Amino acid sequence: MPVHFKHVAIIGVGLIGGSLGMILRRRALADHVVGIGRRVENLKTAVALGAIDRYVADPEEGVRGADLVVLATPVDTYERHLKEWAHCLAPGSIVSDVGSVKGTLVERSEAAMPAGVHFVGAHPIAGKEKTGVAAGSDQLFKGARCILTPTQRTNAIALERVRQLWEETGSIMLTMDPHLHDQILGAVSHLPHVAAFALMNALSELRDQELSSLDLAAHSGGGLRDTTRIAASSPEMWRDIFLWNRGNVVAYIDRYTRALEELKQLIKAGDATGIEKALERAKGEREKLASSAVRHS
């Protein structure tokens, strides 16, 4: 039998939270799904799209009686949310999340749980540059990876129920230490977003300060669009990710800066052999990445 919940509260009914709500309702994995959020129009859209049964403005009202609460808001809001309503939860209920940062955040969330209430960290790696429930889909997680980040304090039954939930979404499940998660995702997700945001800012400054005739839309091809697609992601969400994983992100920016400087010096010196060697190395890594993606798809 699939995992089943009586009352699920989703706090933050955007792309991820809304897509999960669609799956919960369409696959009958929950008797009732309530949405909690700031924007009434988005919540009305969530009802219309079948992501939630209803919505409320008061988080305490929304989570009371819930056997599962899913935090799908920017990670910097977790502590504030838990202080507001965690005391309303009954023993045996589960709080989980969908955040891109774990580490200290998991530890603090666990510490905020009332007696008998269990926190399970989860990270479905299925985001888009588009936000809001209107961009959601009950197919969003199919074939995507979802990382669970249990600790020594994680309740085994709660962990298994959350695992079963994400398996029902079609996710490929992984388990990882929360701090290792932040190191790895800092490298393969957070740093690429830094690079995309920084590249767009550099290009806009180049246009505004040095090359006024530069029209990014008219003069660029697929390369710029592919390289910077993720720069269209939510600034609010990524601000919080960068800050909560700042140690890893700053260290990786230093490594990326060195790689840029090394390539710059090769170009400056006119070192054709050195440039080609650096590009061949990068090309080889990119081909391995593409090959691995095909094998795991």
Side-chain angles (χ1 to χ4, degrees), residues 196-240:
F197 287 127
L199 178 55
M200 287 308 305
N201 285 340
L203 289 172
S204 68
E205 289 181 11
L206 178 63
R207 178 197 60 210
D208 296 342
Q209 298 175 15
E210 300 181 37
L211 194 57
S212 59
S213 62
L214 174 60
D215 183 331
L216 296 180
H219 298 150
S220 63
L224 180 62
R225 290 191 296 272
D226 292 345
T227 304
T228 61
R229 176 186 59 81
I230 53 178
S233 301
S234 165
E236 180 185 23
M237 180 180 78
W238 281 97
R239 173 201 66 199
D240 292 349

Side-chain angles (χ1 to χ4, degrees), residues 106-188:
V106 169
E107 295 170 355
R108 293 190 183 184
S109 298
E110 287 178 330
M113 293 297 99
V117 177
H118 313 299
F119 183 84
V120 179
H123 177 200
I125 307 175
K128 302 178 185 176
E129 67 275 14
K130 295 181 180 180
T131 59
V133 69
S137 165
D138 61 4
Q139 299 298 306
L140 180 66
F141 309 110
K142 190 173 183 179
R145 282 150 185 76
C146 180
I147 302 175
L148 301 184
T149 57
T151 72
Q152 292 183 344
R153 299 178 61 173
T154 304
N155 178 272
I157 295 175
L159 176 64
E160 183 57 26
R161 283 172 63 76
V162 173
R163 180 188 303 279
Q164 290 174 356
L165 169 61
W166 284 107
E167 286 175 343
E168 287 293 325
T169 71
S171 295
I172 299 168
M173 303 306 299
L174 302 172
T175 301
M176 194 176 294
D177 172 83
H179 293 280
L180 178 60
H181 167 281
D182 287 359
Q183 291 177 312
I184 292 175
L185 271 294
V188 300

Side-chain angles (χ1 to χ4, degrees), residues 226-288:
D226 292 345
T227 304
T228 61
R229 176 186 59 81
I230 53 178
S233 301
S234 165
E236 180 185 23
M237 180 180 78
W238 281 97
R239 173 201 66 199
D240 292 349
I241 291 170
F242 293 159
L243 290 176
W244 275 91
N245 199 23
R246 72 182 73 179
N248 290 316
V249 170
V250 168
Y252 299 161
I253 290 174
D254 286 342
R255 177 61 265 182
Y256 182 53
T257 302
R258 290 197 297 273
L260 285 173
E261 183 62 28
E262 290 163 5
L263 185 56
K264 184 182 92 171
Q265 291 304 323
L266 290 172
I267 296 170
K268 185 177 180 180
D271 184 348
T273 301
I275 294 170
E276 185 174 1
K277 184 177 179 180
L279 301 187
E280 285 289 352
R281 178 186 174 192
K283 182 176 183 290
E285 290 294 328
R286 181 61 179 83
E287 288 173 345
K288 285 192 288 186

